[in-house]
Amino acid sequence: MSDATPLQYYRHRLTDDPRRLIVWFKDNWATNRKLRVVSYAAGVAVVLLVLAWATLARNLPDAESLLDYETPLPTVVRGVDGEIVHSYARERRVQLQYGDFPDQMIEAYLSAEDKTFFSHGGVDLTGTLNAVVDYATKFGSDERAVGGSTITQQVAKNLLLGDEYSITRKLKEMILATRIESVLTKQEILELYLNEIPLGRRSFGVQAAARAYFDKDVGDLDLHETAFLAILPKAPERYGRERYRELALTRRDFVLDQMQANGFVTAAEASRAKAQPLGLVQQRSERSADAGYFLEEVRRQLIDRFGETAEDGGNSVYAGGLWVRTSLDTELQDAARDALRAQLISYHGNRGFTGPVATLNPENGDLHSQLASSNLSINYEDWRIGVITATGSSATIGFTDGEDFPLIGAPSSLKLGDVVAAVQSGDGYRLRGVPEISGGFLAQAPQTGRVLAMQGGFDSRLGAFNRATQAERQPGSTIKPFVYASALDHGMTPATEVPDQTFCVWQGANLGEKCFRNFGGGGGGVHTMRWGLEQSRNLMTIHIADTTGMDNVVKTIKRVGIGDYEPYYSFALGAGDTTVARMVNGYAALANWGRQTDGSVIDYVQDRRGKVIFRSDNRECTGCNMEQWDGQPMPRFEPRGKQVLDPRTAFQVVHMLQGVVTRGTAVRLRSLELPLFGKTGTTNGPTNAWFVGGTPDIVAGMYVGFDQPRNLGGWVQGGNTAAPIMKRFVEATRERWNAEDFVAPPGVRMVKVDRRTGKRVFDGTPSDDPKAAIIWEAFKPDTEPPRSTRSDVIAAKRNEILELIRRARQGPTQRAAAREVERPDDFVEEQGGIY
């Protein structure tokens, strides 16, 4: 054998030794009983192992599915300026690429969880044997044994198997780990692990955990903070709690020792890190703009379009990682919220506590916990939402943190479980009255339809019902501009004279005659359409609707999207239900030369890779992306929306509605010194007070009323209850409002007329005086009024003198009644029985 080559030697051993072993087995099988027993046992063990392997491996998930795995990610919402304003998330998740993880972060997790990660094939036999021994020693106790899992096994458990505590699951985990190692690289496995590992505080992955525990990004963490995150996989819900602080410090220092032992940090670096406190920040809510109603509307639309969870598709709201650009303008939103709240508080006045905002059942368990799970809260001044935990002379209020405080001046009507608003007063709390009255507000850009601000009540934390989009209310006189628009389309002009006189309609033998009236009764004379709209005269509106035809009026109202009504006269006075959103969109068409674009809260949506998968403006621009100019006219987008009104008609209505602000029912807005147009509205009762209007750039609408409609008080009108909301809104954002006036479309002729008679004049010049005798009026071609004659002037002067004589002969009571008749009227006659 000494002359044989090494290759010949090993070849000889491989062929000769097995033959010798077989011969030895044959010689000893019959005589050696122990050999037979061992051989049978080994054979059975092999068979059982093969069967077990086949059974466990048969229905395991496919490891190759991880190649296409996408981390469930929250949806991120941006405002109109691109800044993040909210995220829709039930878990904290942020996905990073492998190259984004700092080396120190990787080293900390390897030291804490799997120091042989880069050398094993998915299973660490030494760690597995240690886990078996630990399991055997703890068998029968309630204590959970150490897992002994590698990082690859943890990926298998977290993404493919689940967290069942059993030997079977551990064996499946080992099988899958070996398969994963054959499919993914070590870097890909680590990337999945560091993005998916649950680390407490609803955070998954190290970036989300870094934010949750330290309010930092992973790249900004110090060594002691990185080491702390590496201890969390062992007990994610324990180490972040204050009562386990010492336990967390011990475990963190152990990780630092392991990092030193593995050569990742020096002894000095480890020592300095050990000297640091944990430095955990308090849990805090996710950053969000105070725009709950707006953001809930966005969420609802996204769910309708893309689904809610991963089971609904790859672009779902709570798993798809969408990036959503909205039209939310946070400055306008804050102003809208504050303006509406201020008016609700003003109306509420000194009424004090008017009842609980909700009631919890004490029989359902701890009231503090119920309050926490109810998600009721408030963001107004220093108010807090609490629950009554004791009543009577020793009444107490409890909060979500479990603390109770004395309730000072508690009324006897309070019951255990009532949810109330309160403010701190000394060592206790005093009740605050959340206004029972509510309302809605919406602001929109008329050219694009983009909704800029939306407030659907006092606070969305008290209830999700959005009164800007969901509340169906009677709009009152805010509907009148569309009655006038229909009249202008059918031959009337702003200077057309209309009787302000009683109008009656026969309703049939059973119901008899129905007569409409102005506020306070009466009426009289003949006035221009402009005057009728500025002063909101009901009788003039009914005469106009009758002359135009109610069929035509309701068609116009339907065409602008306000509502689909029957041709009853009461609908010309705002008796049909609609929403703030629909009213604002109708007025936006007036401000945009009759072209209407559907209101939108979402500009566009991108998937997690940045691809745009939805946009509200889906117009195509042929040739916009051509590489070189082809010599043809510059490509342009088609106009947005649809033409719902004649541009000239729309401008005529806007021009008249500017008079409503200058000298009509919304005159309190004149001091803003803006080219505002708008209309007030008040419904029977009164139960609703409205204002809708704006400028060429922003149109806003709002109403105030009880959710269950009831009388607001005889003094309430749109001009004194809703218009102040608009005034506060504008004043808070004054620099955002353009002072440029509305521009007339082609085909409109501006003519000087006498403001009272509507007659055309050639002498004199219109001035800025609200009560100027001469004004500019907008007419379509060939509809201008003729020039006033000398006889017209004389007749007008004679009528004026006669009116003065008549009033002089009246007593004080009669004069007061006459003035009452002339008050601006926004009230709506009820629909009942008008056919």
Side-chain angles (χ1 to χ4, degrees):
M1 250 345 241
S2 58
D3 296 334
T5 64
L7 180 61
Q8 292 173 330
Y9 169 75
Y10 287 113
R11 183 182 297 165
H12 172 75
R13 293 297 301 271
L14 288 172
T15 55
D16 191 53
D17 287 355
R19 284 198 296 268
R20 291 182 180 180
L21 182 61
I22 293 171
V23 171
W24 181 84
F25 260 95
K26 287 180 179 180
D27 293 342
N28 291 277
W29 183 261
T31 58
N32 193 333
R33 183 173 179 274
K34 184 180 291 187
L35 176 63
R36 292 198 301 274
V37 172
V38 171
S39 299
Y40 285 132
V44 170
V46 170
V47 172
L48 291 176
L49 184 60
V50 171
L51 289 175
W53 181 274
T55 301
L56 292 172
R58 182 176 54 186
N59 295 320
L60 286 179
D62 186 3
E64 291 191 357
S65 65
L66 295 179
L67 290 170
D68 300 320
Y69 177 79
E70 291 186 330
T71 299
L73 294 176
T75 289
V76 178
V77 183
R78 297 182 182 273
V80 70
D81 58 359
E83 292 294 321
I84 295 176
V85 295
H86 191 65
S87 66
Y88 302 116
R90 294 179 177 138
E91 300 167 341
R92 292 186 175 99
R93 290 181 182 269
V94 180
Q95 186 177 22
L96 300 181
Q97 302 298 316
Y98 181 79
D100 298 327
F101 297 111
D103 291 341
Q104 196 171 80
M105 177 69 71
I106 296 173
E107 293 162 356
Y109 273 90
L110 293 180
S111 299
E113 294 292 314
D114 190 359
K115 64 182 180 181
T116 63
F117 172 74
F118 281 102
S119 60
H120 63 63
V123 178
D124 182 0
L125 295 179
T126 302
T128 301
L129 291 175
N130 289 336
V132 171
V133 172
D134 189 61
Y135 180 84
T137 58
K138 295 177 179 177
F139 184 76
S141 68
D142 293 332
E143 192 175 356
R144 185 162 181 163
V146 299
S149 297
T150 63
I151 283 178
T152 312
Q153 287 176 259
Q154 292 183 58
V155 170
K157 176 185 71 174
N158 292 332
L159 300 186
L160 299 176
L161 291 176
D163 198 25
E164 176 192 358
Y165 182 58
S166 66
I167 296 177
T168 301
R169 195 267 297 165
K170 180 62 69 175
L171 293 174
K172 291 180 179 179
E173 185 183 287
M174 295 169 66
I175 297 171
L176 269 178
T178 60
R179 294 180 178 179
I180 290 173
E181 292 276 349
S182 67
V183 172
L184 302 178
T185 65
K186 290 288 187 179
Q187 288 77 13
E188 289 171 334
I189 295 170
L190 261 180
E191 181 181 308
L192 280 174
Y193 174 77
L194 294 175
N195 277 323
E196 293 292 331
I197 187 71
L199 298 174
R201 295 195 179 183
R202 297 190 303 112
S203 59
F204 288 75
V206 295
Q207 171 61 22
R211 277 287 174 189
Y213 289 98
F214 300 109
D215 199 22
K216 294 181 179 180
D217 294 321
V218 289
D220 299 327
L221 294 176
D222 296 326
L223 176 58
H224 72 280
E225 295 167 335
T226 300
F228 171 82
L229 294 187
I231 75 174
L232 293 175
K234 295 297 184 187
E237 297 300 336
R238 175 185 296 180
Y239 291 132
R241 300 177 184 270
E242 177 60 28
R243 58 178 171 169
Y244 296 115
R245 188 175 64 86
E246 293 302 323
L247 189 62
L249 284 169
T250 301
R251 178 67 182 171
R252 182 200 68 178
D253 292 349
F254 167 76
V255 172
L256 289 169
D257 288 337
Q258 292 298 304
M259 293 180 73
Q260 178 186 342
N262 294 331
F264 296 140
V265 297
T266 65
E269 290 172 331
S271 179
R272 284 194 297 270
K274 290 179 183 180
Q276 299 295 323
L278 287 179
L280 307 184
V281 299
Q282 293 294 320
Q283 293 195 49
R284 59 189 65 183
S285 59
E286 298 293 329
R287 176 177 53 175
S288 178
D290 191 9
Y293 295 105
F294 190 106
L295 295 170
E296 176 59 22
E297 179 67 17
V298 172
R299 189 185 78 94
R300 183 188 65 78
Q301 292 188 19
L302 289 173
I303 289 177
D304 287 345
R305 184 172 293 276
F306 299 110
E308 185 172 0
T309 63
E311 289 74 21
D312 298 320
N315 293 320
S316 65
V317 173
Y318 287 99
L322 304 178
W323 290 86
V324 182
R325 175 65 71 92
T326 70
S327 55
L328 175 65
D329 188 311
T330 53
E331 181 184 4
L332 295 180
Q333 175 63 38
D334 289 347
R337 176 202 63 206
D338 294 343
L340 179 61
R341 281 180 176 176
Q343 188 61 30
L344 299 182
I345 290 288
S346 175
Y347 179 89
H348 186 77
N350 297 321
R351 291 176 176 83
F353 180 71
T354 55
V357 298
T359 300
L360 305 177
N361 188 349
E363 296 180 0
N364 292 339
D366 178 61
L367 289 171
H368 306 87
S369 300
Q370 288 191 59
L371 181 63
S373 60
S374 73
N375 292 322
L376 292 171
S377 63
I378 197 167
N379 180 28
Y380 180 70
E381 294 184 347
D382 54 353
W383 293 15
R384 295 182 69 184
I385 292 295
V387 61
I388 302 302
T389 52
T391 59
S393 59
S394 57
T396 58
I397 183 171
F399 299 101
T400 55
D401 56 9
E403 291 192 83
D404 290 329
F405 295 90
L407 190 60
I408 302 168
S412 58
S413 60
L414 280 179
K415 301 187 298 295
L416 196 66
D418 281 349
V419 179
V420 296
V423 63
Q424 190 168 11
S425 176
D427 295 332
Y429 278 79
R430 288 187 182 275
L431 290 177
R432 286 292 180 264
V434 176
E436 189 179 7
I437 193 171
S438 195
F441 182 106
L442 188 142
Q444 178 177 320
Q447 288 79 21
T448 62
R450 302 168 82 199
V451 175
L452 305 173
M454 181 191 300
Q455 187 71 13
F458 192 84
D459 196 315
S460 62
R461 300 163 187 83
L462 298 176
F465 182 66
N466 189 340
R467 294 159 189 85
T469 59
Q470 295 174 296
E472 297 277 349
R473 313 291 291 205
Q474 291 183 346
S477 293
T478 57
I479 202 71
K480 289 178 181 176
F482 303 99
V483 179
Y484 281 63
S486 185
L488 293 170
D489 281 339
H490 289 82
M492 301 181 79
T493 77
T496 299
E497 293 188 315
V498 180
D500 184 25
Q501 300 165 2
T502 301
F503 182 92
C504 297
V505 59
W506 178 253
Q507 303 179 96
N510 293 331
L511 297 174
E513 190 176 53
K514 170 69 176 179
C515 291
F516 292 86
R517 63 185 178 88
N518 286 320
F519 178 80
V526 177
H527 305 279
T528 64
M529 278 182 59
R530 167 178 284 280
W531 187 88
L533 187 56
E534 289 179 353
Q535 303 304 320
S536 195
R537 304 298 281 179
N538 284 351
L539 287 177
M540 292 182 66
T541 304
I542 290 297
H543 278 285
I544 290 169
D546 182 64
T547 301
T548 305
M550 275 305 300
D551 285 331
N552 294 320
V553 170
V554 295
K555 285 178 183 178
T556 299
I557 294 173
K558 180 180 180 180
R559 195 163 61 247
V560 297
I562 290 175
D564 188 2
Y565 308 133
E566 296 295 325
Y568 303 147
Y569 287 108
S570 59
F571 290 126
L573 300 178
D577 289 342
T578 188
T579 66
V580 175
R582 295 204 292 268
M583 287 302 299
V584 171
N585 205 35
Y587 274 69
L590 293 175
N592 194 35
W593 287 3
R595 180 167 286 275
Q596 187 177 55
T597 303
D598 292 338
S600 64
V601 293
I602 299 173
D603 289 346
Y604 58 86
V605 179
Q606 297 168 279
D607 65 15
R608 66 175 66 210
R609 295 176 182 83
K611 179 183 177 182
V612 175
I613 55 177
F614 167 79
R615 64 171 69 247
S616 61
D617 183 2
N618 54 10
R619 295 173 297 165
E620 294 185 0
C621 184
T622 304
C624 285
N625 294 324
M626 65 176 65
E627 293 183 0
Q628 293 182 340
W629 180 46
D630 60 1
Q632 299 300 313
M634 180 181 295
R636 298 182 183 275
F637 286 106
E638 291 294 323
R640 293 188 67 172
K642 58 183 177 180
Q643 197 72 41
V644 295
L645 292 171
D646 184 322
R648 301 168 301 174
T649 297
F651 179 80
Q652 285 179 298
V653 174
V654 166
H655 197 241
M656 286 190 288
L657 289 175
Q658 287 182 294
V660 174
V661 175
T662 302
R663 55 190 161 265
T665 58
V667 69
R668 69 176 57 230
L669 300 178
R670 189 173 69 200
S671 61
L672 294 172
E673 297 182 350
L674 284 172
L676 287 171
F677 82 108
K679 185 71 187 72
T680 58
T682 314
T683 57
N684 256 5
T687 55
N688 303 291
W690 283 78
F691 177 80
V692 188
T695 66
D697 299 320
I698 301 175
V699 173
M702 58 228 69
Y703 87 90
V704 172
F706 292 101
D707 286 342
Q708 297 299 322
R710 67 173 190 261
N711 197 307
L712 295 172
W715 58 273
V716 169
Q717 290 190 7
N720 60 30
T721 302
I725 301 174
M726 184 67 176
K727 188 171 185 179
R728 291 189 182 98
F729 176 62
V730 175
E731 288 174 339
T733 56
R734 189 62 179 80
E735 71 283 355
R736 301 289 303 276
W737 295 81
N738 195 329
E740 293 185 8
D741 205 347
F742 290 87
V743 176
V748 169
R749 296 182 180 179
M750 302 304 295
V751 177
K752 289 188 294 183
V753 299
D754 183 282
R755 180 173 60 84
R756 293 179 179 84
T757 66
K759 299 293 185 179
R760 188 172 184 175
V761 297
F762 291 90
D763 297 328
T765 303
S767 69
D768 294 333
D769 180 5
K771 301 293 186 178
I774 302 173
I775 63 171
W776 290 110
E777 192 61 272
F779 295 94
K780 297 171 185 175
D782 300 325
T783 66
E784 306 94 327
R787 180 178 182 176
S788 61
T789 64
R790 178 68 176 167
S791 59
D792 293 329
V793 176
I794 294 172
K797 192 65 176 178
R798 181 178 64 250
N799 290 336
E800 184 179 343
I801 294 172
L802 290 174
E803 179 65 19
L804 291 174
I805 295 172
R806 182 181 64 81
R807 291 192 179 189
R809 290 174 177 174
Q810 291 176 339
T813 303
Q814 292 174 306
R815 284 198 296 271
R819 285 195 297 271
E820 187 73 6
V821 169
E822 294 176 358
R823 283 179 58 185
D825 175 23
D826 292 310
F827 283 72
V828 174
E829 295 294 336
E830 295 181 0
Q831 178 184 346
I834 300 177
Y835 296 95

